[in-house]
Coordinates of all heavy atoms in Angstrom, one line a residue:
L354 N 0.0 8.5 -5.7 CA -1.3 9.0 -5.8 C -1.2 10.4 -6.5 O -0.3 11.2 -6.3 CB -2.0 9.3 -4.4 CG -2.4 8.0 -3.8 CD1 -2.9 8.3 -2.4 CD2 -3.5 7.3 -4.6
V355 N -2.2 10.8 -7.4 CA -2.3 12.0 -8.0 C -2.9 13.0 -7.0 O -3.9 12.6 -6.3 CB -3.1 11.9 -9.2 CG1 -3.4 13.3 -9.9 CG2 -2.6 11.0 -10.3
P356 N -2.4 14.2 -6.8 CA -2.9 15.1 -5.9 C -4.4 15.3 -6.1 O -4.8 15.5 -7.2 CB -2.1 16.3 -6.1 CG -0.9 15.9 -6.7 CD -1.3 14.7 -7.6
L357 N -5.2 15.5 -5.2 CA -6.6 16.0 -5.2 C -6.7 17.4 -5.5 O -5.8 18.2 -5.2 CB -7.3 15.7 -3.9 CG -7.5 14.2 -3.5 CD1 -8.1 14.1 -2.2 CD2 -8.2 13.4 -4.5
V358 N -7.8 17.9 -6.2 CA -8.0 19.2 -6.4 C -8.5 19.9 -5.0 O -9.7 19.8 -4.7 CB -9.2 19.5 -7.4 CG1 -9.3 20.9 -7.8 CG2 -8.7 18.7 -8.7
L359 N -7.6 20.5 -4.3 CA -7.8 21.0 -3.0 C -7.1 22.3 -3.0 O -5.9 22.4 -3.2 CB -7.3 20.1 -2.0 CG -7.5 20.5 -0.5 CD1 -7.8 19.2 0.3 CD2 -6.2 21.1 0.0
L360 N -7.8 23.4 -2.5 CA -7.0 24.6 -2.3 C -6.0 24.4 -1.2 O -6.5 24.4 0.0 CB -8.0 25.7 -2.0 CG -8.7 26.3 -3.2 CD1 -9.5 27.4 -2.8 CD2 -7.8 26.7 -4.3
G361 N -4.8 24.4 -1.5 CA -3.9 24.2 -0.4 C -3.3 22.7 -0.6 O -2.2 22.4 -0.2
G362 N -4.1 21.8 -1.2 CA -3.6 20.5 -1.4 C -2.9 20.1 -0.2 O -3.5 19.9 0.8
T363 N -1.6 19.8 -0.2 CA -0.8 19.5 1.0 C -0.4 20.9 1.5 O -0.1 21.8 0.8 CB 0.4 18.7 0.7 OG1 1.1 19.4 -0.2 CG2 -0.1 17.3 0.1
L364 N -0.4 21.0 2.9 CA -0.2 22.2 3.5 C 1.2 22.9 3.1 O 1.3 24.1 3.0 CB -0.3 22.0 5.0 CG -0.3 23.2 5.9 CD1 -1.6 24.0 5.5 CD2 -0.4 22.9 7.3
A365 N 2.2 22.0 2.8 CA 3.5 22.5 2.4 C 3.5 23.4 1.1 O 4.2 24.2 1.1 CB 4.5 21.3 2.3
A366 N 2.7 23.0 0.2 CA 2.7 23.6 -1.0 C 1.7 24.8 -1.1 O 2.1 25.8 -1.6 CB 2.3 22.5 -2.2
C367 N 0.4 24.6 -0.7 CA -0.5 25.6 -0.8 C -1.7 25.3 -0.1 O -2.5 24.5 -0.4 CB -0.7 25.7 -2.3 SG -1.2 24.1 -3.1
S368 N -2.0 26.1 0.9 CA -3.4 26.1 1.6 C -4.2 27.3 1.0 O -3.7 28.3 0.9 CB -3.2 26.1 3.1 OG -2.8 24.9 3.5
A369 N -5.6 27.0 0.8 CA -6.4 28.1 0.3 C -7.2 28.7 1.3 O -7.4 28.2 2.4 CB -7.3 27.5 -0.8
G370 N -7.8 29.9 1.1 CA -8.6 30.6 2.0 C -9.5 31.7 1.5 O -9.5 31.9 0.2
G371 N -10.2 32.4 2.3 CA -11.1 33.5 1.9 C -11.6 34.3 3.1 O -11.3 34.0 4.2
G372 N -12.5 35.2 2.9 CA -13.1 35.9 4.1 C -13.9 37.1 3.7 O -14.1 37.4 2.5
A373 N -14.6 37.9 4.7 CA -15.3 39.0 4.5 C -15.3 39.9 5.7 O -15.0 39.4 6.8 CB -16.7 38.7 4.0

Side-chain angles (χ1 to χ4, degrees):
L354 290 176
V355 176
L357 296 177
V358 182
L359 177 149
L360 282 186
T363 60
L364 197 57
C367 49
S368 286

